[in-house]
Amino acid sequence: MKCFCFALFLVLFIIKLQRCDGLTTRGQGLKGRVQRDRRNIRPNIILILTDDQDVELGSMQVMNKTRKIMEQGGASFTNAFVSTPMCCPSRSSMLTGKYVHNHNTYTNNENCSSPSWQAQHEPRSFAVYLNNTGYRTAFFGKYLNEYNGSYIPPGWREWVGLIKNSRFYNYTVCRNGYKEKHGSDYAKDYFTDLITNDSINYFRISKRMYPHRPVMMVISHAAPHGPEDSAPQFSEHFPNASQHITPSYNYAPNMDKHWIMQYTGPMRPINMEFTNFLHRKRLQTLLSVDDSVEKVYEMLVETGELDNTYVIYTADHGYHIGQFGLVKGKSMPYDFDIRVPFFVRGPNIEPGSIHPHMILNIDLAPTILDIAGLDTPPDMDGKSILKLLEPEKTENRFRSNRKPKVWRDTILVERGKFLRKKEESSNNNKQQSNNLPKYERVKELCQQAKYQTACEQPGQKWQCIEDTSGKLRIHKCKGSLKVSAKRKRTRSLRSRGYSSKEKECDCGKTDYKPARGERRNQRQLSQTNQRYKPRFVHTRPTRSLSVEFEGQVYDINLEEEAQPAYETRNISKRHYDLEVEEDLEEMLADDNAVGQPSSVKVTHKCYILANDTVHCEREIYQSSRAWRNHKSYIALEIEALQDKIKNLREVRGHLKRRRPDECDCSKSYFNKEKAPRNKERKKSNHRLHPFKEAVQEVDGKVQNFNESRRKKKERKQKKRLKKGDDCSLPGLTCFTHDNDHWQTAPFWNLGSFCACTSANNNTYWCLRTINDTHNILFCEFATGFLEYFDMNNDPYQLTNAVHTVDREVLNELHLQLMELRSCRGHRQCNPRSRGLETGNKDGGSYDPHREEQLWNGWEG
């Protein structure tokens, strides 16, 4: 009996332990990654992001602290890429886990932090998901290029976001909804140190106040982005840096590549010297980031959170300095622009491990959600990389027949400014140019309800009538004018506004045409009526004005406007004969003083006089606090007016597009009998055939779009000519550099130069494939140009080998590229090939050179 009781007690104890163990690993997606003896079940997450940091040019070689902490202490991915080598599109992909064609941020200007982005995609960033599940989320640093600081993006509890583009000094941040300006003092204003200290303080305070709640932080550095201002202690480092001189350095011109590469020639000596100087300054800025990573690491050690924190280090895209003759920049589809550093360290990640799998910036959001124990939303295009980081079991590590982990081997690289608009117009053209017979199109059109009634609907212009032979015909509604005229008399809430279609011109009795002499007399009479003014209207200007100042009354003569503004006016005191020149100067500087009749009141304390001089209250010149308050008030007023001007321009453009039809009765003289005929003829011209309405609508949109582009180019050209800037070439993006560009040491003193290195309309779509047998880059440009590079034989993409590829292979690559260009969600954007069971790497990969089967869509 005792043995039976002891056995029963032992069984109950084991069951209780299993239940406790299940509670610690119940978080969805964690799969036992978190240690059970930790205070926080879910781990902390820290994402460290740099701006424009390359891999191909050796920028990581100088960051010894980061490499020791992240590379030796964690996992490194040697094939990490970005889907778009541009700042704002790539950062938008990181936040949402989507390709560019799904979040519609094509460039650093178009749709970057726009109202549509804020309404559709920003509420679905990874920060929103984590914040809703109890994470203490915080963002420090650069957000998006066009972020204006007027709001706090959803999902962030702590917010210190840089307004507009990267800067190290003289910038403004939005700190939890309040704008905070910074100057040029290194100790308190250097941007890299500012966000590092703020993030460390926030993490410490969060763990002190909420010890059981996990923290997710993003530390987004501006380095090594321009203006490349380094910390003073690093301004003399790397005088002979030459890692950027790769085999593709100054390899130009490239007549076998797309049109920008064909146009770009070899660099001049001053350009080559500039690339050396620029590379040196970029490396100097990264030394402050290197110190920042070390400070974050030491903070995690001191707080005891290192073993329960995932730290991710990466960049938004790469960079080129002199490659293919391009002086500087990004936005090219080659490896120096799309490869980025990527390191991860955290619980159960093997230190020093190297992973050759292809990962993308769209994988960041799903990975962060997976770390937090959340499933990947179906609209995200990326995949979590955590399963790649899980260590293999000991018994399976040395098996020769073990199955490799299934993962993608092909990614999409896309860049385009008017991508969606071109696709929509092409889709519309396809719909218009169907090849159905005419009677089939008429039959299909007559199935619509608006053509089935006998001209009874308001505004109906066409109707379908069946003739004696049984065929359907489309006829014009001849009595539509009378029907619409009757309906105009009815009043409704909808018809109270002005409408160009319903408004008719009322020119009175237009059948009478006066003679030429009579019209001349009417014009003379109208002119004399304008000159005539009644005698009883007081129109004489004021000659003098009485002003009381400091208890004394003065008479100011207002007729002497020809005198200079600095000369004292004739002022006569009524009761005293003392000199008042000093008092007058105080009057002009005082708010109660009377300015000249043509002065303009700008603010409640400042005026602009007739001679373009500004005078304000005496208090503003004497009190620094009043001066500062009024200056900040003016800055806020300017910002508000700029926003208002932007809105007014949008309304003006809307009004231009919706301009009603006008009729000028004074310019044309016609008989009353001919008027209805002219109106009938004019309205009949607007009644296009239904087959042509869609074509005209698309043509009108394209015409308006081209017109807006033309006007924008003209404005830019006028502004450039006004500044005297002749650094421009048609279709290219150019920049000028002079001795005043860099405000911190080391200084550039070799003079100014102009360079054109990119283009806004450089639109392309590329496939990047890496597996056991192939390492290729295949690109299709919007101009129809093709590029193909085999990196196994040409690692620096020096020669375009598209003419050596079979036509069938190019067709397969084109089909795969078209599928990826339109993919949505991680199931479509990460296809598994047919050879999954018997494939090579990652359980089977798509082989672009196999001939036994063609690419014909996705599986799974």
Side-chain angles (χ1 to χ4, degrees):
M1 186 67 182
K2 290 183 179 179
C3 295
F4 175 78
C5 293
F6 179 77
L8 181 62
F9 175 78
L10 185 60
V11 170
L12 293 175
F13 180 74
I14 292 173
I15 293 174
K16 187 174 182 180
L17 282 178
Q18 289 178 352
R19 288 181 178 177
C20 295
D21 182 70
L23 290 175
T24 59
T25 59
R26 190 174 293 175
Q28 185 181 6
L30 287 178
K31 303 175 183 178
R33 293 190 302 271
V34 183
Q35 300 178 7
R36 284 175 289 177
D37 56 348
R38 296 294 305 164
R39 293 179 300 172
N40 300 324
I41 297 178
R42 291 183 296 175
N44 307 303
I45 306 170
I46 299 178
L47 172 62
I48 302 175
L49 186 65
T50 54
D51 196 359
D52 292 8
Q53 185 175 5
D54 59 88
V55 171
E56 297 287 303
L57 309 187
S59 63
M60 289 300 304
Q61 297 178 10
V62 301
M63 305 182 68
N64 297 324
K65 301 173 183 177
T66 302
R67 294 181 62 186
K68 180 179 179 180
I69 295 170
M70 299 300 301
E71 185 177 0
Q72 300 178 12
S76 58
F77 286 83
T78 56
N79 290 318
F81 297 89
V82 294
S83 59
T84 303
M86 296 286 289
C87 292
C88 196
S90 179
R91 291 171 178 266
S92 301
S93 296
M94 290 179 177
L95 292 168
T96 60
K98 298 179 181 180
Y99 275 116
V100 166
H101 64 263
N102 288 331
H103 62 66
N104 303 327
T105 302
Y106 301 113
T107 66
N108 290 337
N109 300 318
E110 190 173 1
N111 204 33
C112 179
S113 189
S114 66
S116 62
W117 157 263
Q118 298 173 23
Q120 299 177 14
H121 304 290
E122 208 167 32
R124 300 186 64 83
S125 67
F126 63 80
V128 176
Y129 292 102
L130 266 65
N131 182 50
N132 294 338
T133 57
Y135 266 83
R136 290 185 55 80
T137 56
F139 187 94
F140 304 91
K142 177 183 176 179
Y143 184 56
L144 299 175
N145 293 48
E146 293 298 320
Y147 173 69
N148 57 11
S150 60
Y151 70 102
I152 300 176
W156 302 101
R157 295 176 179 267
E158 181 74 11
W159 180 258
V160 184
L162 177 66
I163 296 178
K164 296 295 183 179
N165 210 350
S166 296
R167 282 178 174 270
F168 297 88
Y169 296 108
N170 302 314
Y171 56 87
T172 303
V173 296
C174 175
R175 184 181 294 274
N176 296 323
Y178 298 94
K179 294 184 179 180
E180 181 180 284
K181 293 186 178 181
H182 288 265
S184 57
D185 186 1
Y186 169 75
K188 59 182 181 180
D189 295 324
Y190 192 64
F191 186 71
T192 305
D193 296 344
L194 175 80
I195 61 176
T196 301
N197 298 332
D198 287 347
S199 60
I200 290 175
N201 293 336
Y202 176 79
F203 192 92
R204 292 181 184 274
I205 293 174
S206 296
K207 290 303 176 183
R208 190 182 306 121
M209 298 180 62
Y210 307 97
H212 299 288
R213 295 185 61 179
V215 176
M216 191 278 293
M217 295 193 313
V218 176
I219 308 174
S220 180
H221 293 285
H225 193 284
E228 299 97 9
D229 293 325
S230 63
Q233 62 269 25
F234 302 133
S235 61
E236 297 181 359
H237 285 59
F238 315 119
N240 301 316
S242 59
Q243 297 94 331
H244 63 292
I245 303 179
T246 61
S248 61
Y249 180 82
N250 206 22
Y251 188 85
N254 294 267
M255 304 308 295
D256 59 341
K257 296 182 176 65
H258 62 280
W259 68 276
I260 297 179
M261 298 290 99
Q262 296 176 14
Y263 181 84
T264 305
M267 293 185 293
R268 295 180 296 165
I270 189 173
N271 301 137
M272 299 177 67
E273 185 63 30
F274 171 77
T275 59
N276 301 334
F277 209 85
L278 175 64
H279 183 62
R280 178 188 179 189
K281 290 185 72 71
R282 283 169 54 85
L283 297 181
Q284 292 172 356
T285 60
L286 287 173
L287 292 181
S288 297
V289 179
D290 200 33
D291 290 345
S292 173
V293 175
E294 185 182 41
K295 291 178 182 177
V296 173
Y297 174 79
E298 293 174 351
M299 177 268 298
L300 294 174
V301 174
E302 293 174 2
T303 55
E305 297 288 337
L306 179 64
D307 295 334
N308 192 39
T309 302
Y310 283 87
V311 184
I312 304 174
Y313 182 95
T314 186
D316 57 358
H317 53 77
Y319 206 71
H320 58 257
I321 308 176
Q323 279 64 41
F324 297 135
L326 302 172
V327 179
K328 69 170 185 176
K330 52 250 185 183
S331 77
M332 293 297 170
Y334 309 116
D335 271 15
F336 46 70
D337 282 355
I338 62 176
R339 277 188 182 268
V340 291
F342 200 99
F343 305 101
V344 185
R345 68 167 295 152
N348 296 336
I349 294 181
E350 185 178 356
S353 57
I354 299 175
H355 298 268
H357 305 87
M358 295 188 74
I359 62 173
L360 268 174
N361 52 349
I362 61 174
D363 298 331
L364 264 179
T367 302
I368 292 175
L369 294 181
D370 194 8
I371 293 174
L374 302 175
D375 292 332
T376 301
D379 61 331
M380 286 190 177
D381 303 331
K383 296 174 61 177
S384 172
I385 66 172
L386 276 189
K387 67 177 183 179
L388 303 177
L389 298 171
E390 293 176 354
E392 297 183 5
K393 296 181 181 180
T394 308
E395 59 270 17
N396 296 332
R397 183 175 300 178
F398 301 102
R399 288 185 180 181
S400 59
N401 60 346
R402 69 180 189 274
K403 293 183 179 180
K405 297 176 181 178
V406 177
W407 194 254
R408 70 166 79 93
D409 66 347
T410 300
I411 61 171
L412 171 68
V413 181
E414 56 183 343
R415 193 231 181 211
K417 188 172 184 181
F418 307 111
L419 180 65
R420 184 59 57 94
K421 294 173 183 176
K422 287 184 177 181
E423 287 183 352
E424 288 178 354
S425 62
S426 63
N427 292 336
N428 291 333
N429 293 332
K430 289 179 182 178
Q431 294 175 2
Q432 298 151 18
S433 60
N434 52 5
N435 297 321
L436 292 175
K438 185 177 180 180
Y439 71 92
E440 289 287 346
R441 285 186 285 167
V442 172
K443 183 179 178 181
E444 182 180 356
L445 194 66
C446 289
Q447 293 178 358
Q448 301 181 16
K450 62 181 181 179
Y451 299 120
Q452 294 178 1
T453 59
C455 296
E456 296 176 356
Q457 300 183 18
Q460 184 176 352
K461 302 175 182 178
W462 301 89
Q463 64 172 340
C464 288
I465 299 176
E466 187 175 357
D467 59 8
T468 57
S469 62
K471 292 184 179 180
L472 292 173
R473 305 282 187 182
I474 296 180
H475 292 274
K476 291 181 181 179
C477 294
K478 296 182 179 180
S480 59
L481 290 176
K482 298 179 180 179
V483 175
S484 61
K486 292 180 181 179
R487 294 185 179 273
K488 286 177 192 173
R489 297 170 187 170
T490 60
R491 302 176 64 118
S492 63
L493 292 175
R494 188 174 182 181
S495 62
R496 287 186 180 181
Y498 295 97
S499 175
S500 61
K501 297 181 180 179
E502 298 180 359
K503 184 178 179 181
E504 292 187 0
C505 298
D506 186 11
C507 299
K509 297 181 179 180
T510 57
D511 56 346
Y512 172 71
K513 180 178 180 181
R516 182 178 301 177
E518 191 175 356
R519 293 199 302 268
R520 183 170 62 250
N521 296 334
Q522 290 179 358
R523 287 197 299 269
Q524 293 177 358
L525 181 61
S526 62
Q527 293 176 1
T528 56
N529 289 339
Q530 293 178 358
R531 296 175 184 175
Y532 173 77
K533 292 182 180 179
R535 294 187 61 184
F536 54 83
V537 178
H538 180 73
T539 58
R540 185 172 63 88
T542 304
R543 298 179 179 178
S544 63
L545 186 66
S546 298
V547 178
E548 182 178 356
F549 180 69
E550 295 185 356
Q552 300 175 358
V553 180
Y554 299 92
D555 288 335
I556 302 179
N557 187 5
L558 299 179
E559 291 184 339
E560 300 181 3
E561 294 184 358
Q563 297 180 2
Y566 292 106
E567 295 182 3
T568 309
R569 291 182 180 175
N570 296 332
I571 300 179
S572 61
K573 191 186 299 185
R574 291 185 178 179
H575 305 291
Y576 303 93
D577 295 332
L578 299 177
E579 294 292 329
V580 292
E581 293 181 359
E582 297 178 358
D583 294 341
L584 179 61
E585 293 178 359
E586 295 179 358
M587 284 174 60
L588 292 175
D590 193 84
D591 188 34
N592 296 326
V594 178
Q596 299 182 10
S598 58
S599 63
V600 179
K601 183 178 180 181
V602 180
T603 65
H604 58 285
K605 294 186 178 182
C606 292
Y607 295 83
I608 296 180
L609 302 183
N611 60 347
D612 294 335
T613 58
V614 181
H615 288 280
C616 300
E617 281 188 8
R618 186 166 44 191
E619 178 188 6
I620 294 178
Y621 300 120
Q622 295 179 354
S623 172
S624 59
R625 181 177 181 181
W627 176 87
R628 192 183 308 110
N629 292 339
H630 199 63
K631 188 172 179 294
S632 61
Y633 163 77
I634 292 174
L636 293 175
E637 285 291 316
I638 291 174
E639 186 175 353
L641 290 175
Q642 287 176 347
D643 295 338
K644 189 173 182 180
I645 289 173
K646 183 179 179 181
N647 296 332
L648 289 174
R649 284 176 176 170
E650 292 182 0
V651 174
R652 183 180 63 180
H654 170 76
L655 293 178
K656 285 183 178 179
R657 293 188 297 269
R658 300 296 298 273
R659 182 176 181 177
D661 296 333
E662 296 180 358
C663 54
D664 192 353
C665 301
S666 62
K667 291 184 179 179
S668 61
Y669 301 94
F670 53 93
N671 296 328
K672 199 170 184 179
E673 298 176 356
K674 296 182 180 179
R677 297 181 183 177
N678 294 335
K679 289 182 181 179
E680 186 75 17
R681 190 179 300 127
K682 186 176 181 180
K683 290 198 172 185
S684 64
N685 292 335
H686 290 285
R687 291 183 294 175
L688 295 175
H689 195 276
F691 292 163
K692 299 180 180 179
E693 285 181 353
V695 179
Q696 188 192 40
E697 183 180 358
V698 173
D699 292 342
K701 289 182 179 180
V702 173
Q703 186 177 2
N704 293 335
F705 179 69
N706 293 335
E707 183 67 18
S708 63
R709 290 185 63 188
R710 185 187 63 80
K711 291 181 178 180
K712 187 176 181 181
K713 288 183 179 179
E714 289 180 356
R715 290 196 299 268
K716 287 185 177 181
Q717 186 69 18
K718 290 180 181 179
K719 187 181 295 185
R720 197 177 291 117
L721 293 176
K722 188 176 181 180
K723 292 182 179 179
D725 184 11
D726 56 350
C727 180
S728 63
L729 287 174
L732 290 174
T733 303
C734 307
F735 73 94
T736 56
H737 189 88
D738 52 24
N739 295 344
D740 298 330
H741 180 76
W742 283 312
Q743 302 298 323
T744 57
F747 298 102
W748 172 262
N749 55 10
L750 297 182
S752 62
F753 65 89
C754 169
C756 301
T757 59
S758 183
N760 288 331
N761 59 350
N762 186 24
T763 302
Y764 56 78
W765 305 269
C766 300
L767 290 179
R768 187 70 173 89
T769 300
I770 299 178
N771 53 40
D772 287 342
T773 57
H774 295 93
N775 185 3
I776 65 168
L777 173 67
F778 171 72
C779 294
E780 293 182 358
F781 290 82
T783 57
F785 196 84
L786 301 180
E787 290 186 357
Y788 180 92
F789 301 96
D790 184 1
M791 264 71 87
N792 288 334
N793 301 321
D794 184 15
Y796 296 98
Q797 301 106 63
L798 301 179
T799 304
N800 182 11
V802 68
H803 299 291
T804 64
V805 184
D806 294 338
R807 176 59 59 181
E808 293 182 359
V809 176
L810 292 178
N811 291 336
E812 293 178 12
L813 292 173
H814 172 74
L815 290 175
Q816 186 182 14
L817 182 59
M818 295 300 294
E819 293 285 347
L820 278 177
R821 282 177 54 183
S822 60
C823 72
R824 291 183 181 274
H826 56 85
R827 293 187 179 275
Q828 293 183 3
C829 296
N830 299 278
R832 296 172 63 178
S833 61
R834 295 192 172 189
L836 188 61
E837 290 79 8
T838 60
N840 296 323
K841 183 180 177 179
D842 298 344
S845 302
Y846 164 67
D847 187 354
H849 290 275
R850 65 175 181 268
E851 299 181 357
E852 62 272 15
Q853 59 182 0
L854 296 178
W855 177 268
N856 56 359
W858 309 116
E859 277 196 13

